[in-house]
Amino acid sequence: GAVVSQHPSWVICKSGTSVKIECRSLDFQATTMFWYRQFPKQSLMLMATSNEGSKATYEQGVEKDKFLINHASLTLSTLTVTSAHPEDSSFYICSARDMEREYYNEQFFGPGTRLTVL
Amino acid sequence: SQQGEEDPQALSIQEGENATMNCSYKTSINNLQWYRQNSGRGLVHLILIRSNEREKHSGRLRVTLDTSKKSSSLLITASRAADTASYFCATRGFSGGYNKLIFGAGTRLAVHP
């Protein structure tokens, strides 16, 4: 089956620092990857859609200069939280679509990265 | 932006009972999907139902879709303690929003032994 990995699985950082989260599709190629944020006991909120080789499309209310997304290859997308603040503490989940299986509308999710900003 | 609402927000049942969760959405959809999430973990895809389908089964899961009412339900029969998790519906729309999977608020299910 299609596997999406995220690294790190958890990270603790000081306020004001930047944190990079990696999302990889391990056994398939993904032209499109998605980044979600989930606060405790809440749903997943789509932050941005990342397309390989082009700029990401951000959802309304998401600061593109704060959440930098780079989708440099068909198997890797990165999310960098710049100048992190305690309110950025959340569970970040990436997801990828298999470009070979677009018809099946399948979207595969990573295990998530828990970010805690002190 | 969230697509819709789910109810109930929380559901507590005994092992062996059936659990029904409902999901409503706002816009036209291409398909609707249900996911499970164990506490603090990633998502597990359960089932996908297309807009031209009305009912689908997978093991102990039964999903219905009523596009006229813009609603769906997930039934888990003969529940087990291992079914304890949060369940989310997610919709995929048509042009403009076609590429996005938008999640509902979720139902937290607790199955007691």
Coordinates of all heavy atoms in Angstrom, one line a residue, chain B residues 24-111:
Chain B
S24 N -23.0 16.1 7.8 CA -23.6 17.0 6.8 C -22.6 17.9 6.2 O -21.6 18.2 6.8 CB -24.7 17.8 7.5 OG -24.1 18.7 8.5
Y25 N -22.9 18.2 4.9 CA -21.9 19.1 4.2 C -22.7 20.1 3.4 O -23.9 20.1 3.4 CB -21.1 18.2 3.3 CG -21.9 17.4 2.3 CD1 -22.2 17.9 1.0 CD2 -22.3 16.1 2.6 CE1 -22.9 17.1 0.1 CE2 -23.0 15.3 1.7 CZ -23.3 15.8 0.4 OH -24.0 15.1 -0.4
K26 N -22.0 21.1 2.9 CA -22.6 22.3 2.4 C -22.7 22.4 0.9 O -23.6 23.0 0.3 CB -22.0 23.5 3.0 CG -22.0 23.6 4.5 CD -21.2 24.7 5.1 CE -21.3 24.7 6.6 NZ -20.4 25.8 7.2
T27 N -21.6 21.9 0.2 CA -21.6 22.1 -1.3 C -21.7 20.8 -2.0 O -21.6 19.7 -1.4 CB -20.3 22.8 -1.6 OG1 -19.2 22.0 -1.2 CG2 -20.1 24.2 -0.9
S28 N -21.8 20.9 -3.3 CA -21.8 19.7 -4.2 C -20.5 19.0 -4.1 O -19.4 19.6 -3.9 CB -22.1 20.1 -5.6 OG -23.3 20.7 -5.8
I29 N -20.6 17.7 -4.1 CA -19.4 16.8 -3.9 C -19.2 15.8 -5.0 O -20.2 15.5 -5.7 CB -19.4 16.1 -2.6 CG1 -20.6 15.1 -2.5 CG2 -19.5 17.1 -1.4 CD1 -20.6 14.2 -1.3
N30 N -18.0 15.4 -5.2 CA -17.6 14.3 -6.1 C -17.7 13.0 -5.3 O -18.2 12.0 -5.8 CB -16.2 14.5 -6.7 CG -15.8 13.4 -7.5 OD1 -15.3 12.4 -7.0 ND2 -16.0 13.5 -8.8
N31 N -17.2 13.0 -4.1 CA -17.3 11.8 -3.3 C -17.2 12.2 -1.8 O -16.8 13.4 -1.5 CB -16.2 10.8 -3.6 CG -14.8 11.3 -3.4 OD1 -14.3 11.5 -2.3 ND2 -14.1 11.6 -4.5
L32 N -17.5 11.3 -0.9 CA -17.4 11.5 0.5 C -16.6 10.3 1.1 O -16.9 9.2 0.7 CB -18.8 11.6 1.1 CG -18.8 12.0 2.6 CD1 -20.1 12.9 2.9 CD2 -18.9 10.8 3.5
Q33 N -15.7 10.6 2.0 CA -14.9 9.6 2.6 C -15.0 9.6 4.1 O -15.2 10.7 4.7 CB -13.5 9.8 2.1 CG -13.3 9.8 0.6 CD -11.9 10.1 0.2 OE1 -10.9 9.7 0.8 NE2 -11.8 10.9 -0.9
W34 N -14.8 8.5 4.7 CA -14.8 8.4 6.2 C -13.4 7.9 6.6 O -12.8 7.0 6.0 CB -15.9 7.4 6.7 CG -17.2 8.0 6.7 CD1 -18.1 7.9 5.6 CD2 -17.9 8.7 7.7 NE1 -19.3 8.6 6.0 CE2 -19.2 9.1 7.2 CE3 -17.5 9.1 9.0 CZ2 -20.1 9.8 8.0 CZ3 -18.4 9.8 9.8 CH2 -19.7 10.2 9.3
Y35 N -12.9 8.5 7.7 CA -11.6 8.2 8.2 C -11.7 8.0 9.7 O -12.6 8.5 10.4 CB -10.6 9.4 8.0 CG -10.2 9.6 6.6 CD1 -10.9 10.3 5.7 CD2 -9.0 9.0 6.1 CE1 -10.5 10.5 4.4 CE2 -8.5 9.2 4.8 CZ -9.3 9.9 3.9 OH -8.9 10.1 2.6
R36 N -10.8 7.2 10.2 CA -10.7 7.0 11.6 C -9.3 7.5 12.1 O -8.3 7.4 11.4 CB -10.8 5.5 12.0 CG -10.8 5.2 13.5 CD -10.8 3.7 13.7 NE -9.5 3.1 13.4 CZ -9.4 1.8 13.0 NH1 -10.4 1.0 12.9 NH2 -8.2 1.4 12.8
Q37 N -9.3 8.1 13.3 CA -8.1 8.6 13.9 C -8.0 8.1 15.4 O -8.9 8.5 16.1 CB -8.0 10.1 13.8 CG -6.6 10.6 14.3 CD -6.6 12.1 14.3 OE1 -7.6 12.8 14.5 NE2 -5.4 12.7 13.9
N38 N -7.0 7.3 15.7 CA -6.8 7.0 17.1 C -6.1 8.2 17.7 O -5.4 9.0 17.0 CB -6.0 5.7 17.2 CG -6.8 4.5 16.9 OD1 -7.1 4.3 15.7 ND2 -7.2 3.8 17.8
S39 N -6.3 8.3 19.0 CA -5.8 9.5 19.7 C -4.3 9.8 19.4 O -3.4 9.0 19.6 CB -6.0 9.3 21.2 OG -5.5 10.4 21.9
G40 N -4.1 11.0 18.9 CA -2.7 11.5 18.6 C -2.0 10.8 17.5 O -0.8 10.9 17.4
R41 N -2.8 10.1 16.7 CA -2.2 9.4 15.6 C -2.7 9.9 14.2 O -3.5 10.8 14.1 CB -2.5 7.9 15.7 CG -2.3 7.3 17.1 CD -0.8 7.2 17.4 NE -0.1 6.1 16.6 CZ -0.1 4.9 17.0 NH1 -0.7 4.5 18.1 NH2 0.5 3.9 16.3
G42 N -2.2 9.2 13.2 CA -2.6 9.6 11.8 C -3.9 9.1 11.5 O -4.6 8.4 12.3
L43 N -4.3 9.3 10.2 CA -5.7 9.0 9.8 C -5.6 7.6 9.0 O -4.7 7.3 8.3 CB -6.2 10.0 8.8 CG -6.5 11.4 9.4 CD1 -6.8 12.3 8.3 CD2 -7.7 11.3 10.4
V44 N -6.7 6.9 9.2 CA -6.9 5.6 8.5 C -8.1 5.7 7.6 O -9.2 6.1 8.1 CB -7.0 4.4 9.5 CG1 -7.3 3.1 8.7 CG2 -5.8 4.3 10.3
H45 N -7.9 5.5 6.3 CA -9.1 5.6 5.4 C -10.0 4.4 5.6 O -9.5 3.2 5.6 CB -8.5 5.6 4.0 CG -9.6 5.8 2.9 ND1 -10.2 4.7 2.3 CD2 -10.3 6.8 2.5 CE1 -11.1 5.1 1.4 NE2 -11.2 6.4 1.5
L46 N -11.3 4.6 5.8 CA -12.2 3.5 6.0 C -13.0 3.2 4.7 O -13.0 2.0 4.3 CB -13.2 3.9 7.1 CG -12.6 4.1 8.5 CD1 -13.7 4.6 9.4 CD2 -11.9 2.9 9.0
I47 N -13.6 4.2 4.1 CA -14.5 3.9 3.0 C -14.7 5.2 2.2 O -14.7 6.3 2.7 CB -15.8 3.3 3.5 CG1 -16.6 2.6 2.4 CG2 -16.6 4.3 4.3 CD1 -17.7 1.7 3.0
L48 N -14.9 5.0 0.9 CA -15.3 6.1 0.0 C -16.6 5.8 -0.7 O -16.8 4.7 -1.1 CB -14.1 6.3 -1.0 CG -14.3 7.4 -2.1 CD1 -12.9 7.8 -2.6 CD2 -15.1 6.9 -3.3
I49 N -17.4 6.8 -0.7 CA -18.7 6.6 -1.5 C -18.8 7.8 -2.5 O -18.6 8.9 -2.1 CB -19.9 6.6 -0.5 CG1 -21.2 6.3 -1.2 CG2 -20.0 7.8 0.4 CD1 -22.4 5.8 -0.3
R50 N -19.1 7.4 -3.7 CA -19.2 8.4 -4.7 C -20.6 9.1 -4.7 O -21.5 8.5 -4.2 CB -18.9 7.8 -6.1 CG -17.5 7.2 -6.2 CD -17.1 6.7 -7.5 NE -15.9 5.9 -7.5 CZ -14.7 6.5 -7.5 NH1 -14.6 7.8 -7.6 NH2 -13.6 5.8 -7.5
S51 N -20.7 10.2 -5.4 CA -21.9 11.0 -5.3 C -23.1 10.3 -6.0 O -24.2 10.6 -5.7 CB -21.7 12.4 -6.0 OG -21.3 12.2 -7.3
N52 N -22.8 9.3 -6.9 CA -23.9 8.6 -7.5 C -24.2 7.3 -6.8 O -25.0 6.5 -7.3 CB -23.5 8.3 -9.0 CG -22.3 7.5 -9.2 OD1 -21.6 7.2 -8.2 ND2 -22.0 7.1 -10.4
E53 N -23.6 7.1 -5.7 CA -23.9 5.9 -4.9 C -24.7 6.3 -3.7 O -24.6 7.4 -3.2 CB -22.6 5.2 -4.4 CG -21.7 4.7 -5.6 CD -20.4 4.1 -5.1 OE1 -19.7 4.8 -4.3 OE2 -20.1 3.0 -5.6
R54 N -25.5 5.4 -3.2 CA -26.4 5.7 -2.1 C -26.0 4.9 -0.8 O -26.3 5.3 0.3 CB -27.9 5.3 -2.4 CG -28.4 6.3 -3.5 CD -28.5 7.7 -2.9 NE -28.8 8.6 -4.0 CZ -27.8 9.4 -4.6 NH1 -26.6 9.3 -4.2 NH2 -28.1 10.2 -5.5
E55 N -25.4 3.7 -1.0 CA -25.0 2.9 0.1 C -23.8 2.1 -0.2 O -23.6 1.7 -1.4 CB -26.2 2.0 0.5 CG -26.0 1.2 1.8 CD -27.3 0.5 2.2 OE1 -28.3 1.1 2.2 OE2 -27.2 -0.7 2.5
K56 N -22.9 1.9 0.8 CA -21.8 1.0 0.6 C -21.4 0.3 1.8 O -21.6 0.8 3.0 CB -20.6 1.9 0.2 CG -19.6 1.2 -0.7 CD -18.7 2.2 -1.5 CE -17.8 1.5 -2.4 NZ -16.9 2.5 -3.1
H57 N -20.9 -0.9 1.7 CA -20.6 -1.7 2.8 C -19.1 -2.1 2.8 O -18.5 -2.3 1.7 CB -21.4 -3.0 2.8 CG -22.9 -2.8 3.0 ND1 -23.6 -3.0 4.2 CD2 -23.8 -2.3 2.1 CE1 -24.8 -2.7 4.0 NE2 -25.0 -2.3 2.7
S58 N -18.5 -2.2 3.9 CA -17.2 -2.8 4.0 C -17.0 -3.4 5.4 O -16.9 -2.7 6.4 CB -16.1 -1.7 3.9 OG -14.8 -2.2 4.0
G59 N -17.1 -4.7 5.4 CA -17.0 -5.4 6.7 C -18.1 -5.0 7.6 O -19.3 -5.1 7.3
R60 N -17.8 -4.5 8.8 CA -18.8 -4.1 9.8 C -19.2 -2.6 9.5 O -20.0 -2.1 10.3 CB -18.2 -4.2 11.2 CG -18.0 -5.6 11.6 CD -17.6 -5.7 13.1 NE -16.3 -5.1 13.3 CZ -16.1 -4.0 14.1 NH1 -17.1 -3.4 14.7 NH2 -14.9 -3.5 14.2
L61 N -18.8 -2.0 8.5 CA -19.1 -0.6 8.2 C -20.2 -0.5 7.1 O -20.1 -1.3 6.1 CB -17.9 0.1 7.7 CG -16.6 0.1 8.6 CD1 -15.5 0.9 7.9 CD2 -16.9 0.6 10.0
R62 N -21.1 0.4 7.4 CA -22.1 0.7 6.3 C -22.2 2.2 6.2 O -22.4 2.9 7.2 CB -23.5 0.1 6.7 CG -24.6 0.5 5.8 CD -25.9 -0.2 6.2 NE -27.0 0.4 5.5 CZ -27.9 1.2 6.1 NH1 -27.8 1.5 7.3 NH2 -28.9 1.7 5.4
V63 N -22.1 2.7 5.0 CA -22.1 4.1 4.8 C -23.3 4.4 3.8 O -23.5 3.7 2.9 CB -20.8 4.6 4.1 CG1 -21.0 6.0 3.6 CG2 -19.7 4.6 5.2
T64 N -24.0 5.4 4.2 CA -25.1 5.9 3.3 C -24.8 7.3 2.9 O -24.1 8.1 3.6 CB -26.5 5.8 3.9 OG1 -26.5 6.7 5.1 CG2 -26.8 4.4 4.4
L65 N -25.3 7.7 1.7 CA -25.1 9.1 1.2 C -26.5 9.5 0.7 O -27.1 8.9 -0.2 CB -24.1 9.1 0.1 CG -23.8 10.5 -0.5 CD1 -23.3 11.5 0.5 CD2 -22.8 10.3 -1.7
D66 N -26.9 10.7 1.1 CA -28.1 11.3 0.6 C -27.7 12.7 0.1 O -27.6 13.6 0.8 CB -29.2 11.4 1.7 CG -30.5 11.9 1.2 OD1 -30.6 12.6 0.1 OD2 -31.5 11.7 1.8
T67 N -27.5 12.8 -1.3 CA -27.1 14.0 -1.8 C -28.1 15.1 -1.8 O -27.8 16.3 -1.8 CB -26.6 13.8 -3.3 OG1 -27.6 13.2 -4.0 CG2 -25.3 13.0 -3.3
S68 N -29.4 14.7 -1.8 CA -30.5 15.7 -1.7 C -30.5 16.4 -0.4 O -30.8 17.6 -0.3 CB -31.8 15.0 -2.0 OG -32.2 14.2 -0.9
K69 N -30.1 15.7 0.7 CA -30.0 16.3 2.0 C -28.6 16.7 2.4 O -28.4 17.2 3.5 CB -30.6 15.3 3.1 CG -32.0 15.0 2.9 CD -32.5 14.0 4.0 CE -34.0 13.7 3.8 NZ -34.4 12.7 4.8
K70 N -27.7 16.4 1.5 CA -26.3 16.7 1.7 C -25.8 16.1 3.1 O -25.3 16.8 4.0 CB -26.0 18.2 1.7 CG -26.1 18.8 0.3 CD -25.7 20.3 0.3 CE -25.5 20.8 -1.1 NZ -26.7 20.8 -1.9
S71 N -26.1 14.8 3.2 CA -25.7 14.2 4.4 C -25.3 12.7 4.2 O -25.6 12.1 3.2 CB -26.9 14.2 5.4 OG -28.0 13.4 4.9
S72 N -24.5 12.2 5.1 CA -24.0 10.8 5.1 C -24.1 10.3 6.5 O -24.0 11.0 7.5 CB -22.6 10.8 4.5 OG -22.0 9.5 4.6
S73 N -24.1 9.0 6.6 CA -24.0 8.3 7.9 C -23.1 7.2 7.8 O -22.9 6.5 6.8 CB -25.4 7.8 8.4 OG -25.9 6.8 7.5
L74 N -22.4 6.9 8.9 CA -21.5 5.8 9.1 C -22.1 4.9 10.2 O -22.2 5.4 11.3 CB -20.1 6.2 9.4 CG -19.1 5.1 9.8 CD1 -18.8 4.2 8.7 CD2 -17.8 5.7 10.4
L75 N -22.3 3.7 9.9 CA -22.8 2.7 10.9 C -21.7 1.7 11.1 O -21.2 1.1 10.2 CB -24.1 2.0 10.4 CG -24.6 0.8 11.2 CD1 -25.0 1.2 12.6 CD2 -25.7 0.1 10.5
I76 N -21.3 1.5 12.4 CA -20.4 0.4 12.8 C -21.2 -0.6 13.5 O -21.8 -0.3 14.6 CB -19.3 0.9 13.6 CG1 -18.5 2.1 12.9 CG2 -18.3 -0.2 14.0 CD1 -17.4 2.7 13.8
T77 N -21.3 -1.8 13.0 CA -22.1 -2.8 13.7 C -21.3 -3.6 14.6 O -20.0 -3.7 14.5 CB -22.8 -3.8 12.7 OG1 -21.7 -4.4 11.9 CG2 -23.7 -3.0 11.7
A78 N -21.9 -4.2 15.7 CA -21.2 -5.0 16.6 C -19.9 -4.4 17.1 O -18.8 -5.0 16.9 CB -21.0 -6.4 16.0
S79 N -20.0 -3.3 17.6 CA -18.7 -2.5 18.0 C -17.8 -3.3 18.9 O -18.3 -4.1 19.7 CB -19.1 -1.1 18.5 OG -19.8 -1.3 19.8
R80 N -16.6 -2.9 18.9 CA -15.6 -3.5 19.7 C -14.8 -2.4 20.4 O -14.8 -1.3 19.9 CB -14.6 -4.3 18.9 CG -15.2 -5.4 18.0 CD -14.2 -5.9 17.0 NE -14.9 -6.9 16.1 CZ -14.3 -7.4 15.0 NH1 -13.2 -6.9 14.6 NH2 -15.0 -8.3 14.3
A81 N -14.1 -2.7 21.5 CA -13.4 -1.7 22.2 C -12.3 -1.1 21.3 O -12.0 0.1 21.4 CB -12.7 -2.3 23.5
A82 N -11.8 -1.9 20.4 CA -10.8 -1.4 19.5 C -11.3 -0.4 18.5 O -10.5 0.3 17.8 CB -10.2 -2.5 18.7
D83 N -12.6 -0.2 18.4 CA -13.2 0.8 17.5 C -13.2 2.2 18.1 O -13.5 3.2 17.5 CB -14.7 0.4 17.2 CG -14.8 -0.8 16.4 OD1 -13.9 -1.1 15.6 OD2 -15.8 -1.5 16.6
T84 N -12.8 2.3 19.4 CA -12.7 3.6 20.1 C -11.7 4.4 19.3 O -10.5 4.1 19.2 CB -12.2 3.4 21.5 OG1 -13.2 2.7 22.3 CG2 -11.9 4.7 22.2
A85 N -12.2 5.6 18.9 CA -11.4 6.5 18.0 C -12.2 7.7 17.7 O -13.4 7.7 18.0 CB -10.9 5.8 16.8
S86 N -11.7 8.6 17.0 CA -12.4 9.7 16.4 C -12.7 9.4 14.9 O -11.8 8.8 14.2 CB -11.7 11.0 16.5 OG -11.6 11.5 17.8
Y87 N -13.9 9.7 14.5 CA -14.3 9.4 13.1 C -14.6 10.7 12.4 O -15.4 11.5 12.9 CB -15.5 8.4 13.1 CG -15.1 7.0 13.6 CD1 -15.0 6.8 14.9 CD2 -14.7 6.0 12.7 CE1 -14.7 5.5 15.4 CE2 -14.4 4.8 13.1 CZ -14.3 4.5 14.5 OH -13.9 3.3 15.0
F88 N -14.0 10.8 11.2 CA -14.2 12.1 10.4 C -14.8 11.7 9.0 O -14.3 10.8 8.4 CB -12.9 12.8 10.2 CG -12.3 13.3 11.5 CD1 -11.3 12.5 12.1 CD2 -12.6 14.5 12.0 CE1 -10.7 13.0 13.3 CE2 -12.0 15.0 13.2 CZ -11.1 14.2 13.8
C89 N -15.7 12.5 8.6 CA -16.1 12.5 7.2 C -15.3 13.6 6.5 O -14.9 14.6 7.1 CB -17.6 12.7 7.0 SG -18.2 14.3 7.3
A90 N -15.1 13.3 5.2 CA -14.3 14.3 4.4 C -14.9 14.3 3.0 O -15.2 13.3 2.5 CB -12.8 14.0 4.4
T91 N -15.1 15.5 2.4 CA -15.7 15.6 1.1 C -14.7 16.1 0.1 O -13.8 17.0 0.4 CB -16.9 16.5 1.2 OG1 -16.5 17.8 1.7 CG2 -18.0 15.9 2.0
R92 N -14.9 15.6 -1.1 CA -14.1 16.2 -2.2 C -15.1 16.8 -3.2 O -16.0 16.1 -3.6 CB -13.3 15.1 -2.9 CG -12.3 15.6 -3.9 CD -11.4 14.5 -4.5 NE -10.7 13.7 -3.6 CZ -9.5 14.1 -3.0 NH1 -9.1 15.3 -3.2 NH2 -8.9 13.3 -2.2
G93 N -14.8 18.0 -3.6 CA -15.8 18.7 -4.4 C -15.5 18.7 -5.9 O -14.7 17.8 -6.3
F94 N -16.1 19.5 -6.6 CA -15.9 19.6 -8.1 C -14.9 20.7 -8.4 O -14.1 21.1 -7.6 CB -17.2 19.8 -8.8 CG -18.0 18.6 -8.7 CD1 -19.1 18.4 -7.8 CD2 -17.8 17.5 -9.6 CE1 -19.8 17.3 -7.7 CE2 -18.6 16.4 -9.5 CZ -19.6 16.2 -8.6
S95 N -15.0 21.3 -9.6 CA -14.0 22.3 -10.0 C -13.8 23.4 -9.0 O -14.7 23.8 -8.4 CB -14.4 22.8 -11.4 OG -15.6 23.5 -11.3
G96 N -12.6 23.8 -8.9 CA -12.3 24.9 -7.9 C -11.9 24.2 -6.6 O -10.8 24.3 -6.2
G97 N -12.8 23.4 -6.1 CA -12.4 22.7 -4.8 C -12.2 21.3 -5.0 O -12.1 20.5 -4.1
Y98 N -12.1 20.9 -6.3 CA -12.0 19.4 -6.6 C -10.8 18.8 -6.0 O -10.9 17.6 -5.5 CB -12.0 19.2 -8.1 CG -11.8 17.7 -8.4 CD1 -12.9 16.8 -8.3 CD2 -10.6 17.1 -8.9 CE1 -12.8 15.5 -8.5 CE2 -10.5 15.8 -9.1 CZ -11.6 15.0 -9.0 OH -11.5 13.6 -9.2
N99 N -9.7 19.5 -5.9 CA -8.5 18.8 -5.5 C -8.4 18.7 -4.0 O -7.5 18.1 -3.5 CB -7.3 19.6 -6.0 CG -6.1 18.7 -6.4 OD1 -6.3 17.5 -6.5 ND2 -5.0 19.3 -6.4
K100 N -9.3 19.4 -3.3 CA -9.2 19.4 -1.8 C -10.1 18.4 -1.1 O -11.2 18.1 -1.6 CB -9.6 20.8 -1.3 CG -8.9 22.0 -1.9 CD -9.5 23.2 -1.3 CE -9.0 24.5 -2.0 NZ -9.6 25.7 -1.5
L101 N -9.6 17.9 0.0 CA -10.4 17.0 0.8 C -10.6 17.8 2.1 O -9.7 18.1 2.8 CB -9.6 15.7 1.1 CG -10.3 14.5 1.6 CD1 -11.4 14.1 0.7 CD2 -9.4 13.4 1.9
I102 N -11.9 18.1 2.3 CA -12.3 18.9 3.5 C -12.9 18.1 4.5 O -13.9 17.3 4.2 CB -13.2 20.1 3.0 CG1 -12.5 20.9 1.9 CG2 -13.5 21.0 4.2 CD1 -11.3 21.6 2.3
F103 N -12.5 18.3 5.8 CA -13.0 17.4 6.8 C -14.1 18.0 7.7 O -14.1 19.2 7.9 CB -11.8 17.1 7.8 CG -10.9 16.1 7.2 CD1 -9.9 16.4 6.3 CD2 -11.0 14.7 7.5 CE1 -9.1 15.5 5.7 CE2 -10.1 13.8 7.0 CZ -9.2 14.2 6.1
G104 N -15.0 17.2 8.2 CA -16.0 17.6 9.1 C -15.4 17.6 10.5 O -14.2 17.3 10.7
A105 N -16.2 18.0 11.5 CA -15.7 18.2 12.8 C -15.4 16.9 13.6 O -14.6 17.0 14.5 CB -16.8 19.0 13.6
G106 N -16.0 15.8 13.2 CA -15.6 14.5 13.8 C -16.5 14.1 14.9 O -17.1 14.9 15.6
T107 N -16.6 12.8 15.1 CA -17.3 12.2 16.2 C -16.3 11.4 17.0 O -15.6 10.5 16.5 CB -18.4 11.3 15.7 OG1 -19.4 12.1 15.1 CG2 -19.1 10.6 16.9
R108 N -16.2 11.6 18.3 CA -15.4 10.8 19.2 C -16.2 9.7 19.8 O -17.1 9.9 20.5 CB -14.8 11.7 20.4 CG -13.9 12.8 19.9 CD -13.1 13.4 21.1 NE -14.0 13.9 22.1 CZ -14.6 15.1 22.0 NH1 -14.4 15.9 20.9 NH2 -15.4 15.5 22.9
L109 N -15.8 8.5 19.4 CA -16.5 7.3 19.8 C -15.7 6.5 20.9 O -14.6 6.3 20.7 CB -16.7 6.3 18.6 CG -17.3 4.9 18.9 CD1 -18.7 5.1 19.3 CD2 -17.2 4.0 17.6
A110 N -16.4 6.2 21.9 CA -15.8 5.4 23.0 C -16.7 4.1 23.1 O -17.9 4.2 23.3 CB -15.9 6.2 24.3
V111 N -16.0 3.0 23.0 CA -16.7 1.7 23.1 C -16.2 1.0 24.4 O -15.0 0.7 24.5 CB -16.4 0.8 21.9 CG1 -17.2 -0.5 22.1 CG2 -16.8 1.5 20.6

